[in-house]
Amino acid sequence: MRTATTPRGRGTAARSPAAAPPASPGPRRGGRIRTHLPSSPWLFLAPGLLIVAAFGLYPFLSTVAGSFTDARTLTAGQFVGGANYRELVHDALFWTGLRNSLLYVLGVVPLLVVLPLLLAMLVRRQIPGITFFRAAFYTPVVASVVVVGLIWVWLLDDRGLINALLEALGFGRVGFLSDPWLLLLSAMAVTVWKGLGYYMIIYLAALANVPRELHEACAVDGAGALRRFLTVTVPAVRSTMVLVAALSSVGAFKVFSEVYLMAGPTGGPGGEDTTLVMLVQQVGTGLSGRVGYASALSVVVFVLTLGLMLLVLRAHRTEER
Amino acid sequence: MSIRTRQQPDRRDGREHGGRERDGREHGGRRMPRWQLLLRYLLLLAVLALTIGPFLWQLSTSLKGPGEDIYRYPPSLLPHEVTLGNYAGVAQIIPVWDFALNSLKVALANVLTNCAGAALAGYALARMRFRGRRAALVVFIMAMLVPVESIMIAQFVTMRELQLNNTLLGVVLPGCIGAMNVLLMRNAFAALPYEVEEAAYVDGATVWQRFVRIALPSVRGTLAVVAVFAFMGAWDDFLWPLIVLSDQSKFTLTIGLNFLHGTFADNQRLVAAGTVIAVLPLIVLFACLQRSFFRGVGEGAVKG
């Protein structure tokens, strides 16, 4: 995620941080003038900074600090050093959660990078009725993940629609929600289904920027549709693909709701389908929540999320060289 | 979602519109053959069935009367014994309308605080020069990078210390001014030309007047995107309300549905009715706003 500078070199403070602001309103380099009281910016910023600091940065610091204590929901806890982290390493559920979260990334991300691009290609042309299709394809994004989860629980039920269809085709019933591996795969499918529309829009915006001339030149050279897609479109939207990969891998790694709804709060029998965030929620909340241990888990989630993102961005950079 | 200002707004707009107009008729200088158009529509319909079908099946289940076998074979999408009884049934088991009201309160509060707070902060970051501006910007960027999932336990403890656990205020507070929205607004304001504001300053307008009368009306598009996302985010959120709320009377719809699903898993008709109640307002809202929404998003809110 990048923030770009303001457009067209309008001299912002970001570009000339060293320039001391003039004491009184007056002409300045770049034609800009000081037009407000010294306190105004801070009044404007106060609500945002307050909320972000109180409910974003402070909790982060206290998570890191708390991970070294044996705090519980109702008690502050003592400093225990790295005990939580040592326990983590020996916690079978932690490894199950880590495995499932990483599997989720591997299963979901390739599909979410490729399928929405194809979908965006499909809805890109301005043909009659296309706005309807675009909006319809976006509907799963709009719906709450709980609604989506419950819809699919019903569809994938032993007696649900999909099993009825499978049986009609002579395949017999499949225990989508009872087999731990199938359940994880089903949850991944639901995540992909729900995410398609979101990434489709991102790709649509990127496709609008692909120069038409390239396509036309390519077509003149006699390249077919597939060839044009691979030699013009894909390279042109490559940086968007990296962005989608980064966003979707971070999202997949932190998966909670789909698996929680389909497998139950504890991740099925023996916690076989639990994910890392499910584990954090399970361990850290409630009246006897082990806040310290959950904090250590949270720190691991944070570090791995960040690592995952850097990994994707780095892969992009080396490829560009 | 990367936050980037449109580098050259006018040029991009021009190209996009021109491109769209031509796109309808030609491709690479040629008309689209009839068979290709047909294939395109077939594919579109297939994807449509895949994305909308599950919702329709849920709607159909919710309308099926008690005498109708919802497991019957072959399955039928059209209910034979149409009834709204399941909706009344849900309301008898769980106070689903109270849950909806709670969700609405949370979502509206989230929209108001996010629009106001993000616009104020974004304006200061984009349009004012002051010592510490970069530091303020860094604070927002850092806050955006910390995943909510990794600080939720600490937030939960903080809320307990503030005695806000199990209140709707506790549900709203952590997300009530999203760092991402601040950065979105900052980019929107930064893309406006300075000259108008400078003229207003010369005419004696204060910074507040310039913000409210000049800058704010010019970023309505981005403001609308922030509003829609804030509403959807709050209405759809599951994990945080699940952690904060314990008292059934405070439940939001998503938590209420999970409760319904857990307790009355056997009665699919009721669960289906509950999900329809939860998703219908959003689909209606989205259908009304989709035109400006797609324009706003396409214009640079979500841009790679």
Side-chain angles (χ1 to χ4, degrees), chain A residues 2 6 8 13-14 25 35 52 55 73 125 128 142 154 159 168 193 198 201-202 209 212 228 247 298, chain B residues 1 3 10 12 23 27 32 41 50 58 61 71 73 133-134 143 150 155 159-160 190 210 236 294 302:
Chain A
R2 301 150 285 174
T6 40
R8 285 198 216 145
T35 56
V52 162
F55 299 107
T73 307
R125 304 276 289 277
V142 174
W154 170 221
R159 296 175 295 169
W193 181 80
Y198 180 74
I201 298 295
I202 298 187
N209 287 333
R212 298 180 50 78
R228 283 205 304 272
L247 289 178
S298 301
Chain B
M1 205 183 301
I3 319 292
D10 14 12
R12 211 185 131 236
D23 255 354
H27 182 60
M32 191 194 280
Y41 275 112
L50 212 62
Q58 191 81 346
T61 305
Y71 302 107
Y73 185 82
R133 177 164 95 155
R134 275 176 79 106
S150 67
Q155 284 180 337
M159 284 299 162
R160 205 183 53 80
R210 275 177 279 138
D236 290 348
F294 280 126
V302 183

Side-chain angles (χ1 to χ4, degrees), chain B residues 135-302:
Chain B
L137 186 63
V138 168
V139 167
F140 286 113
I141 292 175
M142 272 168 47
M144 196 181 67
L145 290 179
V146 177
V148 199
E149 288 83 354
S150 67
I151 57 172
M152 62 191 184
I153 296 302
Q155 284 180 337
F156 167 69
V157 173
T158 311
M159 284 299 162
R160 205 183 53 80
E161 279 159 7
L162 295 171
Q163 305 207 313
L164 288 175
N165 266 351
N166 208 10
T167 65
L168 291 182
L169 188 61
V171 179
V172 174
L173 269 181
C176 78
I177 301 178
M180 164 82 88
N181 293 332
V182 171
L183 297 174
L184 272 177
M185 293 311 301
R186 170 187 172 268
N187 286 341
F189 284 123
L192 300 177
Y194 266 101
E195 288 72 22
V196 188
E197 268 190 76
E198 272 166 359
Y201 171 71
V202 171
D203 287 346
T206 65
V207 67
W208 177 254
Q209 284 167 333
R210 275 177 279 138
F211 168 66
V212 174
R213 304 237 179 102
I214 299 173
L216 213 48
S218 310
V219 295
R220 264 177 309 198
T222 310
L223 215 50
V225 171
V226 168
V228 171
F229 273 125
F231 192 94
M232 268 166 47
W235 184 273
D236 290 348
D237 194 13
F238 177 54
L239 180 53
W240 176 241
L242 182 72
I243 289 175
V244 175
L245 301 174
S246 48
D247 188 354
Q248 213 203 335
S249 70
K250 305 279 175 37
F251 279 3
T252 57
L253 255 181
T254 50
I255 309 304
L257 280 183
N258 177 51
F259 178 74
L260 179 73
H261 164 65
T263 320
F264 299 93
D266 291 338
N267 200 338
Q268 271 305 333
R269 293 180 185 83
L270 293 186
V271 176
T275 55
V276 172
I277 292 173
V279 78
L280 215 52
L282 265 192
I283 291 185
V284 171
L285 177 82
F286 175 68
C288 295
L289 294 176
Q290 52 99 2
R291 204 164 277 272
S292 49
F293 175 76
F294 280 126
R295 201 181 309 127
V297 174
E299 265 173 11
V302 183

Side-chain angles (χ1 to χ4, degrees), chain B residues 9-22:
Chain B
D10 14 12
R11 212 190 86 205
R12 211 185 131 236
D13 271 6
R15 186 202 286 157
E16 193 171 278
H17 291 162
R20 270 207 193 135
E21 227 171 274
R22 269 187 296 156

Side-chain angles (χ1 to χ4, degrees), chain A residues 36-290:
Chain A
H36 57 80
L37 299 173
S39 62
S40 316
W42 297 108
L43 290 177
F44 274 64
L45 282 170
L49 280 179
L50 203 73
I51 292 294
V52 162
F55 299 107
L57 299 182
Y58 167 71
F60 178 68
L61 295 177
S62 69
T63 299
V64 176
S67 71
F68 298 106
T69 70
D70 59 358
R72 288 182 174 263
T73 307
L74 297 172
T75 52
Q78 300 285 312
F79 179 80
V80 293
N84 287 324
Y85 292 94
R86 277 195 296 276
E87 183 180 343
L88 234 151
V89 177
H90 299 292
D91 185 346
L93 265 185
F94 166 71
W95 291 108
T96 311
L98 183 62
R99 180 197 73 194
N100 288 340
S101 287
L102 288 176
L103 280 177
Y104 222 86
V105 174
L106 289 178
V108 162
V109 173
L111 292 175
L112 278 182
V113 170
V114 174
L115 292 181
L117 176 58
L118 300 178
L119 210 55
M121 299 286 293
L122 188 64
V123 300
R124 180 163 70 129
R125 304 276 289 277
Q126 204 65 29
I127 52 180
I130 200 66
T131 40
F132 164 75
F133 284 107
R134 281 183 195 167
F137 295 175
Y138 199 76
T139 314
V141 184
V142 174
S144 159
V145 65
V146 175
V147 168
V148 167
L150 292 185
I151 287 179
W152 281 94
V153 165
W154 170 221
L155 282 171
L156 296 169
D157 189 270
D158 274 349
R159 296 175 295 169
L161 182 63
I162 291 178
N163 266 319
L165 293 177
L166 282 179
E167 198 161 52
L169 294 171
F171 289 108
R173 286 168 195 261
V174 180
F176 292 109
L177 301 177
S178 43
D179 179 83
W181 288 109
L182 278 179
L183 190 133
L184 204 62
L185 283 176
S186 307
M188 289 178 192
V190 173
T191 304
V192 171
W193 181 80
K194 185 167 164 41
L196 283 177
Y198 180 74
Y199 297 111
M200 173 188 84
I201 298 295
I202 298 187
Y203 277 125
L204 261 183
L207 285 175
N209 287 333
V210 180
R212 298 180 50 78
E213 297 76 28
L214 280 178
H215 267 289
E216 281 159 17
C218 211
V220 168
D221 289 346
L226 181 67
R227 180 105 206 189
R228 283 205 304 272
F229 175 72
L230 290 177
T231 54
V232 178
T233 310
V234 169
V237 298
R238 178 155 287 163
S239 64
T240 308
M241 293 173 92
V242 175
L243 174 76
V244 171
L247 289 178
S248 61
S249 55
V250 165
F253 183 69
K254 297 182 303 189
V255 62
F256 172 82
S257 308
E258 291 93 325
V259 183
Y260 181 95
L261 288 160
M262 293 168 82
T266 52
E272 195 58 24
D273 282 314
T274 200
T275 70
L276 274 188
V277 174
M278 283 172 74
L279 206 55
V280 172
Q281 186 264 349
Q282 209 179 305
V283 171
T285 59
L287 282 180
S288 57
R290 298 183 59 203

